[in-house]
Amino acid sequence: MMYWADLHTHTSCSDGIMTPTELLYFAKEKGLQGLSITDHDTIEGYSEAIKVAKELGIHLGLGVEFSCDFQGYSLHILGYDFDPSNEEIQQLCQRHYERRAHRNHAILEKLRHHKMPITIEELHGKARGKTIGRPHIAEIMVEKGYVKTVRDAFHLYIGEGEVCYAEGVPFQVTDTIDILHAAKGKAFIAHPQLLSKQLPMSELLRLPFDGIECFYSRLTKKIWIEIAESKKWLMSGGSDFHGSIKPAIELGCNGVTQETFYRIFEHSLT
Ligand code: AMP
Ligand code: ZN
Ligand code: FE
Ligand code: FE
């Protein structure tokens, strides 16, 4: 069987549906040999995940997806292979937790003004782990009949720039890269295919990234492979699997080979 590793997945520790244990069992069932769990702004899934990955014989590489700001545009950074006990990383996760608490509050306030009240208790009731964000808010908006679909919730109200959107105090891309490097990790530009067309790309590409997610979900494009090659950056790949909340995205629909897995994860966890 061909070696295949999905390096971009979410669990119930952020806005995915499956617990880390369920995700690993599902990965095994799908025939994946390698996996990285890249929850938004948290690595809390790993204590559970390492144990289960060992039992199942799946290669697990440490990962996280940090939300950042680059010159006013939102950008996600995939952090890989860092030291999870590094204090700066732990502080960054904690600061993101606080940022999200403020920001969720601001979004709920705007929704209340638009006659779509959601209480903070309802939001916490919907959260399945440490990181709470707009997908949880969107789910509640559907349940309460404010919108028909999660997609509508984003497009009409809580998507970037829409009437009930709030940014909160963002974290800078350069700081996030520095912290990942201080923790001996690697910083990758996540899903470049999804970046705003207005974002100053040539400036972004001058930053000291280690790699770029060339093989993203169903959106692989040659241009990102050429950029990675010209910069001698690593090329990562994964599905961005979230489970039944995003049913169109299949686990393992994109990924990397064994050689790439071990180039990215010099300290694979299992
Ligand atoms: P947050 O982390 O709270 O900023 O929420 C961002 C997450 O919401 C992304 O990582 C996606 O998983 C999800 N998301 C963003 N835009 C949309 C959209 N238009 N439809 C559905 N989900 C989205
Ligand atoms: Zn997500
Ligand atoms: Fe993302
Ligand atoms: Fe993601």
Side-chain angles (χ1 to χ4, degrees):
M1 201 172 7
M2 194 186 81
Y3 188 103
W4 196 238
D6 187 335
L7 305 188
H8 190 157
T9 65
H10 295 272
T11 73
S12 54
C13 297
S14 66
D15 55 4
I17 300 293
M18 292 184 178
T19 63
T21 300
E22 288 165 348
L23 177 65
L24 280 155
Y25 271 88
F26 191 49
K28 184 81 186 173
E29 196 182 307
K30 286 257 175 190
L32 295 178
Q33 285 84 358
L35 191 78
S36 182
I37 295 172
T38 52
D39 275 314
H40 299 280
D41 307 327
T42 182
I43 53 170
E44 72 157 354
Y46 274 92
S47 47
E48 173 183 329
I50 291 173
K51 215 167 62 180
V52 180
K54 268 186 194 147
E55 284 163 19
L56 296 178
I58 289 180
H59 297 152
L60 187 66
L62 184 65
V64 64
E65 183 174 18
F66 283 126
S67 301
C68 308
D69 173 275
F70 182 67
Q71 302 189 11
Y73 297 95
S74 128
L75 180 103
H76 288 174
I77 292 186
L78 288 165
Y80 289 130
D81 205 37
F82 50 89
D83 170 8
S85 66
N86 177 277
E87 252 181 50
E88 283 184 76
I89 286 281
Q90 292 187 356
Q91 272 171 23
L92 182 59
C93 292
Q94 180 57 29
R95 282 162 61 211
H96 269 290
Y97 179 78
E98 287 154 21
R99 169 185 72 86
R100 284 178 173 277
H102 283 113
R103 174 185 184 236
N104 289 335
H105 198 273
I107 293 174
L108 295 191
E109 193 60 18
K110 289 189 177 184
L111 286 170
R112 196 170 62 79
H113 278 285
H114 283 79
K115 308 258 179 305
M116 292 177 278
I118 292 172
T119 64
I120 202 79
E121 289 74 25
E122 286 172 313
L123 182 57
H124 284 152
K126 181 49 78 182
R128 295 167 281 267
K130 180 111 184 166
T131 294
I132 312 178
R134 288 179 290 158
H136 303 99
I137 296 174
E139 274 185 78
I140 300 173
M141 289 172 74
V142 173
E143 278 169 19
K144 294 191 123 186
Y146 299 154
V147 287
K148 285 215 171 64
T149 62
V150 164
R151 195 189 137 85
D152 283 352
F154 276 91
H155 282 259
L156 301 172
Y157 298 109
I158 61 173
E160 213 171 327
E162 303 303 336
V163 280
C164 295
Y165 180 71
E167 181 47 68
V169 182
F171 286 83
Q172 295 308 309
V173 167
T174 44
D175 296 338
T176 304
I177 298 174
D178 287 349
I179 291 172
L180 280 164
H181 286 165
K184 302 186 174 69
K186 301 182 177 78
F188 283 61
I189 300 174
H191 41 64
Q193 300 83 352
L194 303 184
L195 291 173
S196 161
K197 299 279 173 284
Q198 275 85 49
L199 182 149
M201 187 55 76
S202 55
E203 287 180 52
L204 180 71
L205 294 176
R206 264 183 242 131
L207 299 182
F209 288 104
D210 305 279
I212 184 162
E213 191 178 35
C214 295
F215 312 109
Y216 176 69
S217 221
R218 297 208 179 85
L219 299 174
T220 298
K221 269 205 188 131
K222 233 175 92 193
I223 172 81
W224 304 111
I225 298 173
E226 288 164 3
I227 287 171
E229 279 170 348
S230 74
K231 297 197 150 284
K232 301 203 166 30
W233 281 354
L234 292 160
M235 297 183 219
S236 73
S239 62
D240 208 359
F241 178 76
H242 281 73
S244 56
I245 190 175
K246 292 187 178 180
I249 302 176
E250 207 185 320
L251 183 67
C253 70
N254 221 328
V256 300
T257 59
Q258 181 162 28
E259 188 196 340
T260 305
F261 182 91
Y262 283 106
R263 284 178 74 192
I264 295 175
F265 298 105
E266 294 165 71
H267 314 94
S268 149
L269 297 170
T270 59

Short mmCIF file of all heavy atoms in Angstrom, two decimals, residues 222-262:
data_model
loop_
_atom_site.label_atom_id
_atom_site.label_comp_id
_atom_site.label_asym_id
_atom_site.label_seq_id
_atom_site.Cartn_x
_atom_site.Cartn_y
_atom_site.Cartn_z
N LYS A 222 -0.21 24.53 -9.68
CA LYS A 222 1.21 24.46 -10.03
C LYS A 222 2.01 25.66 -9.53
O LYS A 222 3.16 25.51 -9.12
CB LYS A 222 1.33 24.36 -11.56
CG LYS A 222 2.18 23.18 -11.98
CD LYS A 222 2.19 23.02 -13.48
CE LYS A 222 3.36 23.78 -14.10
NZ LYS A 222 3.26 23.92 -15.56
N ILE A 223 1.39 26.83 -9.55
CA ILE A 223 2.10 28.05 -9.18
C ILE A 223 2.76 27.93 -7.80
O ILE A 223 3.89 28.36 -7.59
CB ILE A 223 1.16 29.29 -9.25
CG1 ILE A 223 1.84 30.54 -8.68
CG2 ILE A 223 -0.15 29.10 -8.54
CD1 ILE A 223 2.75 31.19 -9.66
N TRP A 224 2.08 27.28 -6.83
CA TRP A 224 2.64 27.20 -5.48
C TRP A 224 3.79 26.21 -5.42
O TRP A 224 4.72 26.38 -4.63
CB TRP A 224 1.53 26.86 -4.48
CG TRP A 224 0.41 27.86 -4.58
CD1 TRP A 224 -0.85 27.64 -5.05
CD2 TRP A 224 0.49 29.26 -4.25
NE1 TRP A 224 -1.57 28.80 -5.04
CE2 TRP A 224 -0.78 29.81 -4.56
CE3 TRP A 224 1.48 30.09 -3.75
CZ2 TRP A 224 -1.08 31.16 -4.37
CZ3 TRP A 224 1.20 31.43 -3.56
CH2 TRP A 224 -0.06 31.96 -3.87
N ILE A 225 3.73 25.20 -6.27
CA ILE A 225 4.84 24.25 -6.33
C ILE A 225 6.07 24.95 -6.91
O ILE A 225 7.19 24.81 -6.41
CB ILE A 225 4.44 23.03 -7.20
CG1 ILE A 225 3.26 22.30 -6.55
CG2 ILE A 225 5.63 22.09 -7.40
CD1 ILE A 225 2.66 21.18 -7.39
N GLU A 226 5.84 25.77 -7.94
CA GLU A 226 6.96 26.51 -8.55
C GLU A 226 7.57 27.50 -7.55
O GLU A 226 8.79 27.65 -7.48
CB GLU A 226 6.48 27.25 -9.81
CG GLU A 226 6.19 26.30 -10.96
CD GLU A 226 5.35 26.93 -12.08
OE1 GLU A 226 5.04 28.16 -11.99
OE2 GLU A 226 5.01 26.20 -13.02
N ILE A 227 6.72 28.15 -6.79
CA ILE A 227 7.22 29.10 -5.78
C ILE A 227 8.05 28.35 -4.73
O ILE A 227 9.15 28.77 -4.38
CB ILE A 227 6.06 29.88 -5.14
CG1 ILE A 227 5.53 30.91 -6.15
CG2 ILE A 227 6.49 30.56 -3.84
CD1 ILE A 227 4.25 31.61 -5.75
N ALA A 228 7.53 27.22 -4.25
CA ALA A 228 8.27 26.43 -3.26
C ALA A 228 9.61 25.99 -3.82
O ALA A 228 10.64 26.08 -3.15
CB ALA A 228 7.44 25.21 -2.83
N GLU A 229 9.62 25.54 -5.06
CA GLU A 229 10.87 25.09 -5.67
C GLU A 229 11.86 26.24 -5.79
O GLU A 229 13.04 26.10 -5.46
CB GLU A 229 10.60 24.49 -7.07
CG GLU A 229 10.11 23.05 -6.97
CD GLU A 229 9.59 22.48 -8.29
OE1 GLU A 229 9.39 23.26 -9.26
OE2 GLU A 229 9.37 21.26 -8.33
N SER A 230 11.38 27.41 -6.21
CA SER A 230 12.31 28.53 -6.40
C SER A 230 12.87 29.00 -5.06
O SER A 230 13.98 29.50 -5.00
CB SER A 230 11.62 29.67 -7.15
OG SER A 230 10.73 30.34 -6.28
N LYS A 231 12.12 28.84 -4.00
CA LYS A 231 12.59 29.30 -2.70
C LYS A 231 13.25 28.21 -1.88
O LYS A 231 13.67 28.42 -0.75
CB LYS A 231 11.41 29.87 -1.90
CG LYS A 231 10.78 31.07 -2.55
CD LYS A 231 9.93 31.82 -1.57
CE LYS A 231 9.89 33.29 -1.87
NZ LYS A 231 11.05 34.06 -1.52
N LYS A 232 13.24 27.00 -2.44
CA LYS A 232 13.74 25.82 -1.73
C LYS A 232 12.98 25.61 -0.42
O LYS A 232 13.56 25.27 0.62
CB LYS A 232 15.25 25.91 -1.49
CG LYS A 232 16.04 26.06 -2.77
CD LYS A 232 17.47 25.61 -2.61
CE LYS A 232 18.21 25.42 -3.92
NZ LYS A 232 17.82 26.26 -5.05
N TRP A 233 11.69 25.86 -0.47
CA TRP A 233 10.83 25.61 0.68
C TRP A 233 10.27 24.19 0.62
O TRP A 233 10.14 23.61 -0.45
CB TRP A 233 9.64 26.58 0.67
CG TRP A 233 9.97 27.96 1.16
CD1 TRP A 233 11.14 28.39 1.71
CD2 TRP A 233 9.09 29.10 1.14
NE1 TRP A 233 11.05 29.73 2.03
CE2 TRP A 233 9.80 30.18 1.69
CE3 TRP A 233 7.78 29.30 0.70
CZ2 TRP A 233 9.24 31.45 1.84
CZ3 TRP A 233 7.22 30.56 0.84
CH2 TRP A 233 7.94 31.63 1.41
N LEU A 234 9.91 23.68 1.80
CA LEU A 234 9.24 22.39 1.87
C LEU A 234 7.81 22.54 1.33
O LEU A 234 7.23 23.64 1.39
CB LEU A 234 9.21 21.90 3.32
CG LEU A 234 10.57 21.53 3.91
CD1 LEU A 234 10.50 21.53 5.43
CD2 LEU A 234 11.02 20.17 3.39
N MET A 235 7.25 21.44 0.83
CA MET A 235 5.88 21.46 0.31
C MET A 235 5.03 20.53 1.16
O MET A 235 5.29 19.34 1.22
CB MET A 235 5.87 20.95 -1.13
CG MET A 235 6.65 21.81 -2.08
SD MET A 235 6.48 21.14 -3.75
CE MET A 235 8.15 21.40 -4.34
N SER A 236 4.03 21.11 1.82
CA SER A 236 3.17 20.26 2.64
C SER A 236 1.84 20.04 1.94
O SER A 236 1.54 20.67 0.92
CB SER A 236 2.96 20.88 4.02
OG SER A 236 2.10 21.99 3.92
N GLY A 237 1.07 19.12 2.51
CA GLY A 237 -0.22 18.82 1.90
C GLY A 237 -1.17 18.18 2.89
O GLY A 237 -0.77 17.48 3.81
N GLY A 238 -2.44 18.46 2.71
CA GLY A 238 -3.45 17.85 3.58
C GLY A 238 -4.84 18.24 3.15
O GLY A 238 -5.04 19.03 2.23
N SER A 239 -5.81 17.67 3.86
CA SER A 239 -7.22 17.83 3.44
C SER A 239 -7.92 19.03 4.07
O SER A 239 -8.83 19.60 3.48
CB SER A 239 -7.98 16.57 3.84
OG SER A 239 -7.96 16.42 5.26
N ASP A 240 -7.56 19.42 5.29
CA ASP A 240 -8.33 20.37 6.11
C ASP A 240 -9.64 19.72 6.55
O ASP A 240 -10.68 20.36 6.65
CB ASP A 240 -8.60 21.69 5.38
CG ASP A 240 -8.74 22.88 6.34
OD1 ASP A 240 -8.64 22.67 7.57
OD2 ASP A 240 -8.97 24.00 5.87
N PHE A 241 -9.55 18.43 6.86
CA PHE A 241 -10.71 17.65 7.31
C PHE A 241 -11.25 18.22 8.62
O PHE A 241 -10.50 18.49 9.55
CB PHE A 241 -10.26 16.20 7.51
CG PHE A 241 -11.34 15.28 8.01
CD1 PHE A 241 -12.33 14.84 7.15
CD2 PHE A 241 -11.35 14.86 9.33
CE1 PHE A 241 -13.33 13.97 7.61
CE2 PHE A 241 -12.34 14.00 9.79
CZ PHE A 241 -13.33 13.56 8.94
N HIS A 242 -12.59 18.42 8.65
CA HIS A 242 -13.25 18.86 9.89
C HIS A 242 -14.33 17.89 10.34
O HIS A 242 -14.98 18.11 11.36
CB HIS A 242 -13.93 20.23 9.68
CG HIS A 242 -13.00 21.41 9.72
ND1 HIS A 242 -12.12 21.71 8.71
CD2 HIS A 242 -12.83 22.39 10.64
CE1 HIS A 242 -11.45 22.82 9.01
NE2 HIS A 242 -11.85 23.25 10.18
N GLY A 243 -14.62 16.85 9.54
CA GLY A 243 -15.71 15.93 9.87
C GLY A 243 -17.01 16.41 9.27
O GLY A 243 -17.02 17.24 8.34
N SER A 244 -18.12 15.94 9.83
CA SER A 244 -19.44 16.12 9.20
C SER A 244 -19.87 17.59 9.10
O SER A 244 -20.79 17.90 8.36
CB SER A 244 -20.50 15.34 9.97
OG SER A 244 -20.49 15.74 11.33
N ILE A 245 -19.19 18.49 9.81
CA ILE A 245 -19.53 19.91 9.68
C ILE A 245 -19.14 20.44 8.30
O ILE A 245 -19.72 21.40 7.81
CB ILE A 245 -18.89 20.74 10.82
CG1 ILE A 245 -19.44 22.17 10.83
CG2 ILE A 245 -17.38 20.75 10.74
CD1 ILE A 245 -18.96 23.02 11.98
N LYS A 246 -18.14 19.79 7.68
CA LYS A 246 -17.76 20.12 6.29
C LYS A 246 -17.72 18.83 5.50
O LYS A 246 -16.63 18.31 5.19
CB LYS A 246 -16.39 20.81 6.27
CG LYS A 246 -16.41 22.19 6.90
CD LYS A 246 -15.09 22.89 6.70
CE LYS A 246 -15.15 24.28 7.30
NZ LYS A 246 -13.91 25.02 7.14
N PRO A 247 -18.90 18.30 5.17
CA PRO A 247 -18.98 16.94 4.61
C PRO A 247 -18.28 16.78 3.27
O PRO A 247 -17.93 15.66 2.88
CB PRO A 247 -20.48 16.68 4.48
CG PRO A 247 -21.13 18.03 4.54
CD PRO A 247 -20.22 18.94 5.31
N ALA A 248 -18.05 17.88 2.55
CA ALA A 248 -17.44 17.75 1.22
C ALA A 248 -15.95 17.43 1.30
O ALA A 248 -15.35 16.99 0.32
CB ALA A 248 -17.66 19.03 0.43
N ILE A 249 -15.34 17.65 2.47
CA ILE A 249 -13.89 17.45 2.57
C ILE A 249 -13.59 16.08 3.18
O ILE A 249 -13.92 15.82 4.33
CB ILE A 249 -13.24 18.56 3.42
CG1 ILE A 249 -13.52 19.92 2.79
CG2 ILE A 249 -11.73 18.32 3.53
CD1 ILE A 249 -13.01 21.08 3.60
N GLU A 250 -12.94 15.26 2.37
CA GLU A 250 -12.67 13.89 2.78
C GLU A 250 -11.28 13.78 3.41
O GLU A 250 -10.32 14.37 2.87
CB GLU A 250 -12.70 13.03 1.50
CG GLU A 250 -13.07 11.60 1.70
CD GLU A 250 -12.94 10.85 0.38
OE1 GLU A 250 -13.32 11.42 -0.67
OE2 GLU A 250 -12.44 9.74 0.40
N LEU A 251 -11.18 13.03 4.48
CA LEU A 251 -9.87 12.81 5.10
C LEU A 251 -8.94 12.14 4.09
O LEU A 251 -9.32 11.19 3.42
CB LEU A 251 -10.02 11.92 6.35
CG LEU A 251 -8.74 11.68 7.15
CD1 LEU A 251 -8.23 12.95 7.80
CD2 LEU A 251 -8.95 10.61 8.22
N GLY A 252 -7.72 12.68 3.97
CA GLY A 252 -6.74 12.07 3.07
C GLY A 252 -6.90 12.47 1.61
O GLY A 252 -6.18 11.97 0.75
N CYS A 253 -7.84 13.40 1.31
CA CYS A 253 -8.04 13.77 -0.11
C CYS A 253 -6.83 14.51 -0.66
O CYS A 253 -6.68 14.66 -1.87
CB CYS A 253 -9.32 14.58 -0.31
SG CYS A 253 -9.26 16.24 0.38
N ASN A 254 -5.96 15.00 0.22
CA ASN A 254 -4.64 15.46 -0.21
C ASN A 254 -3.65 15.11 0.90
O ASN A 254 -4.05 14.79 2.02
CB ASN A 254 -4.64 16.95 -0.52
CG ASN A 254 -3.83 17.24 -1.79
OD1 ASN A 254 -2.85 16.53 -2.07
ND2 ASN A 254 -4.20 18.26 -2.52
N GLY A 255 -2.37 15.17 0.58
CA GLY A 255 -1.40 14.75 1.58
C GLY A 255 0.00 14.71 1.00
O GLY A 255 0.26 15.32 -0.04
N VAL A 256 0.89 14.00 1.71
CA VAL A 256 2.29 13.92 1.28
C VAL A 256 2.79 12.48 1.38
O VAL A 256 2.18 11.63 2.03
CB VAL A 256 3.20 14.82 2.15
CG1 VAL A 256 2.79 16.29 2.05
CG2 VAL A 256 3.22 14.36 3.60
N THR A 257 3.93 12.26 0.74
CA THR A 257 4.55 10.93 0.75
C THR A 257 5.40 10.75 2.02
O THR A 257 5.61 11.71 2.77
CB THR A 257 5.48 10.78 -0.45
OG1 THR A 257 6.47 11.82 -0.34
CG2 THR A 257 4.74 10.94 -1.77
N GLN A 258 5.91 9.56 2.19
CA GLN A 258 6.74 9.25 3.36
C GLN A 258 7.98 10.13 3.42
O GLN A 258 8.35 10.63 4.47
CB GLN A 258 7.17 7.79 3.31
CG GLN A 258 8.01 7.35 4.51
CD GLN A 258 8.05 5.85 4.65
OE1 GLN A 258 7.92 5.11 3.67
NE2 GLN A 258 8.23 5.37 5.86
N GLU A 259 8.61 10.34 2.26
CA GLU A 259 9.83 11.14 2.21
C GLU A 259 9.55 12.56 2.72
O GLU A 259 10.30 13.10 3.54
CB GLU A 259 10.33 11.18 0.77
CG GLU A 259 11.70 11.81 0.65
CD GLU A 259 12.03 12.21 -0.78
OE1 GLU A 259 11.41 11.69 -1.73
OE2 GLU A 259 12.93 13.08 -0.93
N THR A 260 8.46 13.15 2.25
CA THR A 260 8.11 14.50 2.69
C THR A 260 7.75 14.52 4.17
O THR A 260 8.11 15.44 4.90
CB THR A 260 6.95 15.06 1.84
OG1 THR A 260 7.31 14.97 0.48
CG2 THR A 260 6.65 16.49 2.20
N PHE A 261 7.01 13.50 4.61
CA PHE A 261 6.64 13.43 6.03
C PHE A 261 7.89 13.54 6.90
O PHE A 261 7.95 14.33 7.83
CB PHE A 261 5.88 12.13 6.33
CG PHE A 261 5.42 12.03 7.77
CD1 PHE A 261 4.16 12.50 8.14
CD2 PHE A 261 6.24 11.51 8.77
CE1 PHE A 261 3.72 12.43 9.46
CE2 PHE A 261 5.82 11.44 10.09
CZ PHE A 261 4.56 11.92 10.44
N TYR A 262 8.91 12.76 6.56
CA TYR A 262 10.11 12.77 7.41
C TYR A 262 11.01 13.99 7.19
O TYR A 262 11.83 14.31 8.05
CB TYR A 262 10.88 11.45 7.27
CG TYR A 262 10.17 10.38 8.08
CD1 TYR A 262 9.44 9.38 7.46
CD2 TYR A 262 10.18 10.41 9.47
CE1 TYR A 262 8.75 8.42 8.19
CE2 TYR A 262 9.50 9.47 10.22
CZ TYR A 262 8.79 8.48 9.57
OH TYR A 262 8.11 7.57 10.32
#
